[in-house]
Amino acid sequence: MQSIRGRFLIVSAASVFLAMVLATIVFVSIFTRNLERRIDEELTGHINLFAGTLRFAPDGNLELPDRPADRRFTEPYGGLYWQVEDDRSKRQLRSPSLWDYVLPLPADIHEPGAVHRYTLPGPDGGELIVQERQIIVAAPEGPRPVRVAAAIDESVLAEARRAFTLDIIPFMAVLAAFLIAASLAQLTFGLRPVSSVSEGLNRIRERKAERLTGRFPKELQEVVAAMNRLLDAQSVIIQKARTRSADLAHGLKTPLTVVANDAATLKERGQTEIGDELAHLAGVMQAHVERELARSRIAATAELRASDADLATALDRIVRTLKRTPKGADLAWQVDVPPAVTVEVDPHDLEELLGNILDNAVKWARSTITVSLHRDEGRPRLVIEDDGPGADPAGLKQMLERGVRLDSQKPGTGIGLSIVKDIASVYDLTIEIANRDAGGLRVSVSF
């Protein structure tokens, strides 16, 4: 199980269950000991009562003039019994509750006054808790030892123990549920700082924060500090990589411009073959440089975007820029995109993507460019259409490939739609390019 909460719940439930079982056993044991003590005290009280009333008649017969008042002594098998034995005369006195049963007292030696405790078979097949004491009673011929025994059904103890167990189990179950709920509450409260760390990391991922901030418990402060150091180091590394990529690309642009100018000079001097070759190489290298410059500005992953982008805002900025170009000023623009449509794309990357698509549309459009927004199962889909010549089926498959130009007569490096493909792969966007039935090209971007 990967969940800390689940593991804690299982351990807590098992621990509480075991603790409740052990506690129930201990409580029942304590109750049983106390009840046994009370039973022993009761039996001892009966024996002492017998000892104070026993006597021998003038004829030498043992008698008990004052019978115990407890009704259980008078009911057959009533659960409480007494028996008095005179070993010398072999005579016995028994409680009516014994009916015709004789307690099988062991023939052991007793010190006068000492109480012996036994467990003996009872008259109804059960077990009896028995106390026996030898007392000295005055007889006509002199003091005579007499054995006095009092007994009670052990089932009384077993029934009381069972009833107590049944009474305590619901309370222990409620206590167990309370302890488990308290453990869950404690876990929820204890893990709240961990949730704060998770929320902070999500804010960083969404580019709403750059570091983990806030108050954290002492146990998490070192983790938070280490995470912030890692984030700082990562930010420095990414920034250095982008800076070096941009510096390298910018450093190559000037030499490539010189090479292109030299190629033009060679062609003017009649060295057409070498001039064309140098111009071609310079163009290829220039395309690579521009593509790397564009890629250096694209977020590495969707999670590293600066923020979400407003589609209408990005389109308005790009269209206004393209309308200032000589070709864009001559075109009719039909933009139907409502405001407040947010997409999970970095604003700069969205402008780069839409700028390349619209720039390509401006190059090929004859009179009109149409931009519209549609919904596919709640997912926004932007459609950009021009009324240009379109492309042949083979060309459609090549348009998103790096450096491919379907018409070398148009200015450009052929990397614009390739950059579109790079951005789409970062944000998992779907790009579809098709010819319009009425002529021209249709580019769909599903966010």
Side-chain angles (χ1 to χ4, degrees):
M1 181 177 291
Q2 301 299 321
S3 171
I4 295 178
R5 191 184 303 273
R7 292 182 179 183
F8 188 88
L9 178 60
I10 291 176
V11 173
S12 175
S15 301
V16 169
F17 175 77
L18 180 61
M20 293 299 102
V21 170
L22 293 177
T24 301
I25 294 174
V26 171
F27 291 155
V28 171
S29 176
I30 294 174
F31 172 80
T32 302
R33 285 203 304 270
N34 280 272
L35 185 59
E36 287 176 344
R37 191 179 299 116
R38 292 291 300 274
I39 289 175
D40 288 342
E41 291 175 355
E42 180 183 359
L43 294 178
T44 301
H46 288 307
I47 290 176
N48 291 337
L49 180 63
F50 298 149
T53 58
L54 275 174
R55 67 182 182 180
F56 281 93
D59 59 0
N61 291 325
L62 186 66
E63 59 183 16
L64 186 65
D66 297 331
R67 304 282 174 157
D70 195 316
R71 65 178 181 81
R72 289 176 294 175
F73 283 121
T74 62
E75 296 178 358
Y77 303 157
L80 193 60
Y81 314 97
W82 61 266
Q83 180 172 296
V84 179
E85 290 185 0
D86 179 9
D87 290 337
R88 184 177 298 179
S89 65
K90 304 302 180 182
R91 292 180 62 95
Q92 293 179 340
L93 297 177
R94 300 194 306 276
S95 64
S97 57
L98 280 173
W99 194 247
D100 58 351
Y101 186 78
V102 178
L103 294 178
L105 299 176
D108 52 353
I109 299 175
H110 294 269
E111 292 293 330
V115 177
H116 288 208
R117 191 177 190 277
Y118 312 109
T119 299
L120 299 177
D124 57 351
E127 296 291 328
L128 299 179
I129 299 173
V130 182
Q131 280 194 15
E132 180 192 1
R133 179 182 176 189
Q134 187 182 70
I135 60 176
I136 304 299
V137 180
E141 69 276 11
R144 184 184 299 181
V146 175
R147 300 174 67 181
V148 180
I152 191 171
D153 280 337
E154 193 178 38
S155 62
V156 174
L157 177 63
E159 179 62 26
R161 181 170 53 237
R162 187 185 71 85
F164 177 80
T165 303
L166 293 178
D167 287 341
I168 199 176
I169 283 177
F171 293 99
M172 300 303 288
V174 172
L175 179 59
F178 171 77
L179 292 176
I180 292 174
S183 298
L184 285 176
Q186 181 183 12
L187 177 65
T188 301
F189 179 78
L191 289 180
R192 186 173 298 172
V194 178
S195 300
S196 299
V197 173
S198 177
E199 292 172 2
L201 292 175
N202 286 332
R203 287 178 58 83
I204 293 172
R205 180 179 61 84
E206 295 170 357
R207 312 305 293 173
K208 296 179 181 179
E210 295 182 354
R211 307 177 86 251
L212 290 173
T213 57
R215 299 181 61 183
F216 296 95
K218 182 179 179 180
E219 292 78 4
L220 290 178
Q221 287 178 359
E222 292 186 5
V223 176
V224 171
M227 185 66 70
N228 282 333
R229 289 194 296 269
L230 178 62
L231 291 170
D232 292 340
Q234 184 185 41
S235 177
V236 171
I237 291 173
I238 292 175
Q239 187 59 41
K240 283 184 177 180
R242 287 184 174 181
T243 301
R244 289 177 180 175
S245 176
D247 289 344
L248 177 62
H250 284 295
L252 290 173
K253 289 185 72 174
T254 300
L256 288 174
T257 301
V258 173
V259 171
N261 291 335
D262 289 344
T265 302
L266 289 173
K267 287 192 289 185
E268 290 175 357
R269 294 178 179 178
Q271 299 179 359
T272 306
E273 184 177 352
I274 190 172
D276 289 339
E277 184 177 355
L278 286 176
H280 172 71
L281 293 175
V284 172
M285 295 178 68
Q286 184 70 29
H288 281 286
V289 169
E290 291 184 5
R291 185 168 189 267
E292 291 306 317
L293 277 174
R295 292 185 65 187
S296 68
R297 295 189 294 265
I298 299 174
T301 64
E303 287 75 14
L304 294 178
R305 64 185 184 275
S307 65
D308 293 342
D310 185 270
L311 197 56
T313 301
L315 278 170
D316 181 68
R317 187 178 295 113
I318 296 169
V319 170
R320 283 191 287 107
T321 301
L322 291 175
K323 282 182 177 180
R324 295 191 185 100
T325 63
K327 180 66 183 297
D330 295 334
L331 296 175
W333 294 81
Q334 298 177 2
V335 180
D336 182 17
V337 176
V341 177
T342 304
V343 293
E344 296 179 352
V345 180
D346 183 273
H348 172 270
D349 294 344
L350 180 63
E351 291 186 12
E352 186 78 29
L353 180 140
L354 298 180
N356 279 288
I357 296 175
L358 288 170
D359 183 63
N360 187 73
V362 168
K363 291 178 184 177
W364 296 99
R366 293 190 178 96
S367 61
T368 305
I369 292 179
T370 302
V371 183
S372 57
L373 183 68
H374 304 268
R375 292 280 181 177
D376 293 337
E377 298 181 354
R379 184 180 180 184
R381 179 169 60 91
L382 189 69
V383 178
I384 301 174
E385 300 175 303
D386 64 69
D387 60 351
D392 60 82
L396 289 175
K397 297 180 181 179
Q398 301 175 8
M399 291 187 70
L400 294 177
E401 296 181 8
R402 182 180 60 183
V404 173
R405 298 178 60 194
L406 300 185
D407 191 342
S408 60
Q409 295 180 359
K410 295 287 184 179
T413 59
I415 66 166
L417 293 181
S418 177
I419 295 174
V420 169
K421 181 181 179 181
D422 291 339
I423 297 174
S425 65
V426 170
Y427 296 99
D428 194 24
L429 309 180
T430 302
I431 307 294
E432 296 179 353
I433 303 177
N435 287 317
R436 298 172 60 209
D437 294 338
L441 206 64
R442 177 188 296 110
V443 180
S444 299
V445 183
S446 297
F447 295 92

